Amino acid sequence: MAHEHDVYMLLADTAAQRQDAAGVRQYAPRLEALAERDGHQLYLGIAHRAWGVAHRLEGEQAAAQARLRQALAIFAELGTRWQAGRTYFELGQLAAARGDSAAARQHFAQALAVFEALGAAPDMARPRDALAALAG
């Protein structure tokens, strides 16, 4: 049986992947509270990334940047490269939304490099497509 924090992690992460700011705002606060209570750093990082996506979608760029950087720091400390790659991609999305194509390229390239190193073929398409869109 899934624990409560597992359920909220799946809900918040899925909302972020679907670019659903309302869903993130519904589930991320509970995930963040449970992760902090339980000292679950991985889930705390996922909550930060979800918040970063919601803030980006709502035009709150400084808050998005702060949350995504917090997530990346946690994932780096944990050595969870796939999570870091997903966060680099979101940083690229934020940079693109800001009109900073150089930073967007850098972050998308970092995401792609992580996914290639892991052999995470399904995850390589999004940063590749984003890089191609920036080049075109």
Side-chain angles (χ1 to χ4, degrees):
M1 175 177 266
H3 293 275
E4 187 178 24
H5 59 274
D6 296 324
V7 172
Y8 282 104
M9 182 279 298
L10 289 170
L11 291 168
D13 197 40
T14 299
Q17 288 178 17
R18 294 180 56 122
Q19 305 291 291
D20 176 7
V24 170
R25 290 198 176 279
Q26 181 177 357
Y27 302 119
R30 186 71 177 134
L31 172 61
E32 186 172 21
L34 290 168
E36 286 176 346
R37 180 195 75 190
D38 296 342
H40 201 299
Q41 291 299 298
L42 176 63
Y43 286 1
L44 184 58
I46 292 168
H48 284 308
R49 184 177 57 229
W51 275 120
V53 170
H55 289 307
R56 175 182 53 81
L57 292 170
E58 294 171 344
E60 301 164 353
Q61 295 181 354
Q65 179 85 11
R67 286 294 192 145
L68 292 171
R69 291 285 178 197
Q70 287 176 296
L72 192 57
I74 290 170
F75 298 142
E77 184 176 314
L78 294 174
T80 52
R81 295 183 301 157
W82 182 71
Q83 294 290 350
R86 290 185 56 207
T87 307
Y88 282 125
F89 181 80
E90 293 301 337
L91 283 164
Q93 293 280 80
L94 177 61
R98 288 181 164 165
D100 186 347
S101 58
R105 265 192 293 284
Q106 177 187 359
H107 293 306
F108 291 142
Q110 288 170 305
L112 182 57
V114 168
F115 296 144
E116 287 176 340
L118 292 172
D123 295 301
M124 292 179 210
R126 288 179 61 196
R128 276 192 185 134
D129 292 346
L131 285 165
L134 287 171

